[in-house]
Amino acid sequence: MKSKSSTIRLLYAASHDNADMLYAAGIFVPDPFLAILTDKQAYAVVSQLEYGRVARGSHFDEVMLLEDIRKKAAENLQMELREIGAGELMIYFAQRFAVKKIEVPAEFPAALYAKLYEAGYHLKIIEGPFFPERAKKNDAEAKAIRRGNAAAAAGIRAAEAVLRAARIEGKRLIYGGRALTSERLRTIIDQACLTKGAIAQSTIVAGGRQACDPHEVGHGPLRPNELIIIDVFPRVQKTGFHGDMTRTFLKGRASLAQRELVASVRAAQRAAIDVVKSGVKGSTVHEAADGVFVDAGYKTERRGQSFVGFIHSTGHGLGLEVHESPRVAKGAGKLKTGHVITIEPGLYYPEIGGCRIEDVVRVTKSGSELLSSMHDRWEIR
Amino acid sequence: MKSKSSTIRLLYAASHDNADMLYAAGIFVPDPFLAILTDKQAYAVVSQLEYGRVARGSHFDEVMLLEDIRKKAAENLQMELREIGAGELMIYFAQRFAVKKIEVPAEFPAALYAKLYEAGYHLKIIEGPFFPERAKKNDAEAKAIRRGNAAAAAGIRAAEAVLRAARIEGKRLIYGGRALTSERLRTIIDQACLTKGAIAQSTIVAGGRQACDPHEVGHGPLRPNELIIIDVFPRVQKTGFHGDMTRTFLKGRASLAQRELVASVRAAQRAAIDVVKSGVKGSTVHEAADGVFVDAGYKTERRGQSFVGFIHSTGHGLGLEVHESPRVAKGAGKLKTGHVITIEPGLYYPEIGGCRIEDVVRVTKSGSELLSSMHDRWEIR
């Protein structure tokens, strides 16, 4: 590390739970650490607990030992060693690089922002994506997302098999001699994801009215003749990339209203996927799905404090985060080649039930490439 | 919401991945939202996707609908609706409460800090725990941590059973007809945790030299006659509380050096647990473990860029985060009744292997109460 750099970018986070840091580091580190990015080089400062691993296996050009750098910072800043925290390290590097401008992400810790501000560094906060290039997925990244979707599909197939094997007894589903609950089905799904090397969290298994509350994960006994939304978004342990898939099932006999609802959601999804291609706006994709619902007479409206109809956006970017850039919603900008997005329209009416169907596509020049694969049979007798 | 409040505390985070927000909310919300805490009341502003669930099931005294509040903020601040983001909402509430002082946690997003700063609000950043009371666990919280440890123990027992069933074939362990790897054993452990309702991430299954790199999760074939560290810290899905347990196993025959190493780590753990009680410093607990190693002649030292010996602290607080207050390390302050801490001394020498043994205790007036339970037989023939 010799060169000066007029602009540096700082990250302070654990790559285990911060996607930008994982993108920069290419390796999982469980505790927050400092990364310094210049035009030419990427540096990391990690403790001895991480040093060997990060020095060998990360994307960084140079990895420095925290214990050494703290000593140097103390000398340079003429402070006691115990006073040297992350903020002081940043000030030390800012001096060492003779920096004029420092950029940080929007979620950079306020405490460190304030410390640098007081030291005379007026940070530029990057609103929106810190690495806009993260939205464009190369082949290896698309493959990692496919793996995530394969894990999600394994989970959904496991759930389907259980619903198929379950018996209907009055208003309950019986499996393995006792009531089948959202919780039991979730465990079975999450275990199937694990066999594919992916960790699922907050898997949604929500039936009936519960499914109309889009972030309700679902609890208690599942019932026959009700729509059951299963939404699985596992993270592949090796890469950190996610899958994200949703299917809606019904065990028993669907009503006409339920059949029409599901058919309309599937039609909306097809319509949305059909318009996806490079240069098309995310808002146009959303309108394609919305148009199908409007034409079919499904109203989106407020009822008191809750909402019914098509109450969320059509999709979102997917990658190292479950929700990331770009948006596929009202007001969203142009899709570009390589963007990976979910297409997941849904309809929610407590008197009928909720239905959402979700797949993942990568935007291409002429259309899109499907990164998820799972049939759409949903009525299970 | 009528009263004025001279001081308010703000949080902006998703309770799914922010422990302070989960503590305040008592319910999982996957996307960041605004919480406003006055001396008397706690308020949340959530989108229609969350409203019903949060209004019914959270700790907040009042839950407001984001869509409504954004409109009110736009009117009050005389701005366009599309200009109203999280920062503008905060300014709106600061005006509405006629606030003099705003407190935020150290990891509050810099972008929001800067926005409030520009609007004339000089935020007080709370360094260290935002809710110091989180460190003291009541009986329900201790029970939730016990559940986490029961899940961890189930995972470790599953691993032990596999090691027992595995055959030694030359330098490999064979299980189910093929080489037993860290990855396979990790999947089995994580699946066992799931059956107990807990999600394990980054489970460590590291043998031989890999175990001497404390944050290496382990990869590739496991070998006979090598110490294998298994460290499991699952999060109970229902409560968000974690367990954290470590055991070290060896399949085959241990050398004398390995036996002495394991015996010393177990002795250090006992010595540390023995001194735990309310009023004793975390540093004293650390010294108790360290003293056993020093007396036994185990040196902690640097070798180039890596370190050997007792290279980490004796423990850490455990709760909604895997690592939280209080510290159990050099320089750590007094333990208090209700603190829940891990006690996990370890020794790491590439030429012998690594060993760590970890249990969890709750500090009491006269000593401590064990919140984890698992035998300590480690040699598996």
Side-chain angles (χ1 to χ4, degrees):
Chain A
M1 186 198 281
K2 283 155 197 158
S3 58
K4 294 188 174 187
S5 183
S6 65
T7 301
I8 61 171
R9 316 185 88 198
L10 296 177
L11 288 172
Y12 187 76
S15 61
H16 178 77
D17 57 19
N18 182 285
D20 283 327
M21 187 58 114
L22 181 57
Y23 191 75
I27 192 171
F28 291 103
V29 176
D31 296 315
F33 68 98
L34 173 60
I36 305 139
L37 313 173
T38 72
D39 317 346
K40 290 168 201 141
Q41 301 273 305
Y43 306 92
V45 183
V46 300
S47 83
Q48 46 108 347
L49 290 176
E50 315 290 353
Y51 182 82
R53 221 166 45 85
V54 176
R56 279 193 307 274
S58 76
H59 294 337
F60 294 109
D61 300 296
E62 191 179 333
V63 178
M64 290 169 273
L65 191 61
L66 176 64
E67 288 76 3
D68 289 346
I69 297 294
R70 287 185 67 225
K71 273 183 209 157
K72 286 188 192 166
E75 279 169 32
N76 272 269
L77 303 177
Q78 298 183 298
M79 293 171 75
E80 298 290 323
L81 188 58
R82 60 179 167 70
E83 297 172 306
I84 304 296
E88 288 72 23
L89 288 186
M90 292 177 191
I91 293 166
Y92 163 68
F93 281 108
Q95 291 185 2
R96 193 161 144 182
F97 279 113
V99 153
K100 297 224 168 59
K101 206 165 110 190
I102 302 176
E103 295 179 345
V104 296
E107 77 275 13
F108 190 77
L112 298 175
Y113 176 89
K115 182 148 271 176
L116 284 159
Y117 191 93
E118 281 158 26
Y121 294 98
H122 291 209
L123 279 58
K124 183 176 176 198
I125 296 170
I126 307 295
E127 304 273 359
F130 193 63
F131 296 117
E133 60 270 33
R134 251 183 61 197
K136 287 195 177 192
K137 272 72 176 183
N138 62 27
D139 289 347
E141 292 166 330
K143 193 176 165 189
I145 294 170
R146 264 186 202 278
R147 291 242 163 115
N149 285 324
I156 294 174
R157 273 196 304 271
E160 187 192 7
V162 168
L163 287 171
R164 207 167 284 288
R167 275 184 304 111
I168 297 171
E169 229 175 63
K171 291 194 166 179
R172 299 221 157 175
L173 299 180
I174 305 297
Y175 178 74
R178 56 203 172 93
L180 181 62
T181 60
S182 291
E183 289 85 348
R184 285 180 69 202
L185 205 48
R186 180 178 306 120
T187 299
I188 290 162
I189 293 166
D190 293 354
Q191 285 185 313
C193 290
L194 268 181
T195 63
K196 300 284 179 184
I199 292 178
Q201 291 200 70
S202 307
T203 295
I204 293 172
V205 182
R209 285 175 171 265
Q210 286 183 22
C212 296
D213 211 342
H215 283 171
E216 164 68 58
V217 295
H219 58 271
L222 293 164
R223 298 179 194 290
N225 313 324
E226 285 190 352
L227 293 169
I228 301 169
I229 291 180
I230 298 182
D231 187 349
V232 191
F233 34 101
R235 184 192 205 201
V236 178
Q237 291 180 80
K238 202 169 172 180
T239 61
F241 278 92
H242 289 84
D244 194 357
M245 274 183 82
T246 307
R247 287 294 180 273
T248 301
F249 293 101
L250 179 144
K251 171 80 178 184
R253 284 193 179 269
S255 68
L256 183 60
Q258 286 167 333
R259 283 190 194 145
E260 285 174 351
L261 191 88
V262 173
S264 195
V265 170
R266 178 54 81 180
Q269 196 203 25
R270 290 209 183 104
I273 291 176
D274 280 350
V275 300
V276 170
K277 73 174 184 179
S278 180
V280 168
K281 284 184 179 174
S283 60
T284 306
V285 178
H286 180 66
E287 283 155 19
D290 196 45
V292 171
F293 295 143
V294 170
D295 290 348
Y298 288 106
K299 281 194 179 138
T300 298
E301 58 192 13
R302 183 167 176 169
R303 292 186 190 164
Q305 299 289 55
S306 66
F307 294 75
V308 298
F310 183 28
I311 61 184
H312 54 67
S313 57
T314 294
H316 52 78
L318 178 71
L320 294 174
E321 291 176 285
V322 179
H323 294 154
E324 62 178 44
S325 191
R327 293 168 63 242
V328 185
K330 215 185 281 185
K334 279 187 185 170
L335 296 172
K336 293 178 186 164
T337 300
H339 280 177
V340 169
I341 54 174
T342 68
I343 302 288
E344 51 173 315
L347 286 174
Y348 310 87
Y349 298 96
E351 65 278 16
I352 305 173
C355 176
R356 181 166 65 253
I357 303 175
E358 175 180 30
D359 285 284
V360 177
V361 301
R362 180 159 67 150
V363 179
T364 65
K365 211 177 153 186
S366 61
S368 70
E369 167 198 7
L370 201 60
L371 300 185
S372 58
S373 171
M374 171 81 196
H375 71 77
D376 57 3
R377 294 180 297 279
W378 60 279
E379 259 193 272
I380 303 174
R381 290 296 161 86
Chain B
M1 185 199 282
K2 283 155 196 159
S3 58
K4 294 188 176 186
S5 183
S6 65
T7 301
I8 61 171
R9 316 184 88 198
L10 296 178
L11 288 172
Y12 187 76
S15 60
H16 177 78
D17 57 19
N18 181 286
D20 283 328
M21 187 57 113
L22 182 56
Y23 191 75
I27 192 170
F28 290 102
V29 176
D31 296 316
F33 68 98
L34 173 60
I36 305 138
L37 312 173
T38 72
D39 316 346
K40 290 167 200 140
Q41 301 274 305
Y43 306 91
V45 182
V46 299
S47 83
Q48 46 108 347
L49 291 176
E50 314 290 353
Y51 182 83
R53 220 166 46 85
V54 176
R56 280 193 307 274
S58 76
H59 292 162
F60 294 109
D61 299 295
E62 191 178 334
V63 178
M64 290 168 273
L65 192 61
L66 176 63
E67 288 76 4
D68 290 346
I69 298 293
R70 286 186 67 226
K71 274 184 209 158
K72 286 188 192 167
E75 279 169 29
N76 272 269
L77 302 177
Q78 298 183 300
M79 293 171 77
E80 297 291 323
L81 187 58
R82 61 180 166 70
E83 296 173 307
I84 304 296
E88 288 71 25
L89 288 186
M90 291 177 191
I91 293 166
Y92 163 69
F93 281 108
Q95 291 185 1
R96 192 161 147 183
F97 280 115
V99 151
K100 297 225 168 59
K101 206 165 109 189
I102 301 176
E103 295 179 347
V104 296
E107 77 276 11
F108 190 76
L112 298 175
Y113 176 89
K115 182 147 270 178
L116 284 158
Y117 191 92
E118 281 158 25
Y121 294 98
H122 291 207
L123 279 58
K124 184 178 174 197
I125 296 169
I126 307 295
E127 304 273 359
F130 194 63
F131 296 118
E133 60 271 34
R134 251 183 61 196
K136 286 195 175 190
K137 272 72 176 182
N138 62 28
D139 288 348
E141 292 166 330
K143 193 176 165 190
I145 294 169
R146 265 187 202 278
R147 290 243 164 114
N149 285 323
I156 294 174
R157 273 195 305 271
E160 187 192 8
V162 168
L163 288 170
R164 207 167 286 288
R167 274 183 307 111
I168 296 171
E169 227 175 65
K171 290 193 167 178
R172 298 221 156 173
L173 300 180
I174 305 296
Y175 177 74
R178 55 203 173 95
L180 181 62
T181 60
S182 291
E183 290 85 348
R184 285 180 69 200
L185 204 50
R186 180 179 305 119
T187 298
I188 289 163
I189 293 166
D190 293 353
Q191 285 186 312
C193 289
L194 269 181
T195 63
K196 300 284 180 186
I199 292 178
Q201 291 200 70
S202 307
T203 295
I204 294 171
V205 181
R209 285 175 171 264
Q210 285 183 23
C212 296
D213 212 342
H215 284 172
E216 164 68 58
V217 295
H219 59 271
L222 293 164
R223 297 176 195 291
N225 313 324
E226 285 191 352
L227 293 169
I228 301 169
I229 291 181
I230 298 181
D231 187 348
V232 191
F233 34 101
R235 184 193 205 198
V236 179
Q237 292 180 81
K238 202 170 172 178
T239 61
F241 278 92
H242 288 82
D244 194 358
M245 275 184 79
T246 307
R247 287 295 181 273
T248 301
F249 293 102
L250 179 144
K251 172 79 178 184
R253 285 191 179 271
S255 67
L256 183 60
Q258 286 166 334
R259 283 191 191 143
E260 285 175 351
L261 192 87
V262 173
S264 194
V265 171
R266 177 55 83 180
Q269 195 202 27
R270 291 211 181 101
I273 291 177
D274 280 351
V275 300
V276 170
K277 72 174 185 179
S278 180
V280 168
K281 284 184 180 174
S283 59
T284 306
V285 177
H286 180 67
E287 283 155 19
D290 195 45
V292 170
F293 295 142
V294 170
D295 290 350
Y298 287 105
K299 280 194 180 136
T300 298
E301 59 192 12
R302 183 167 175 170
R303 291 186 189 165
Q305 298 289 56
S306 67
F307 293 75
V308 299
F310 183 27
I311 61 183
H312 54 68
S313 57
T314 295
H316 52 79
L318 178 71
L320 293 174
E321 291 175 285
V322 178
H323 294 154
E324 61 178 44
S325 191
R327 294 169 62 242
V328 186
K330 215 185 283 183
K334 279 186 186 172
L335 296 172
K336 292 177 186 165
T337 299
H339 280 177
V340 168
I341 54 174
T342 67
I343 302 288
E344 50 175 314
L347 287 174
Y348 310 87
Y349 297 96
E351 64 277 17
I352 306 173
C355 175
R356 180 166 66 254
I357 303 174
E358 174 180 30
D359 285 283
V360 176
V361 300
R362 180 159 67 150
V363 179
T364 65
K365 210 176 153 185
S366 61
S368 70
E369 167 196 6
L370 201 60
L371 300 185
S372 58
S373 171
M374 171 79 196
H375 71 77
D376 57 4
R377 294 181 298 279
W378 61 279
E379 259 192 273
I380 302 175
R381 289 296 162 85

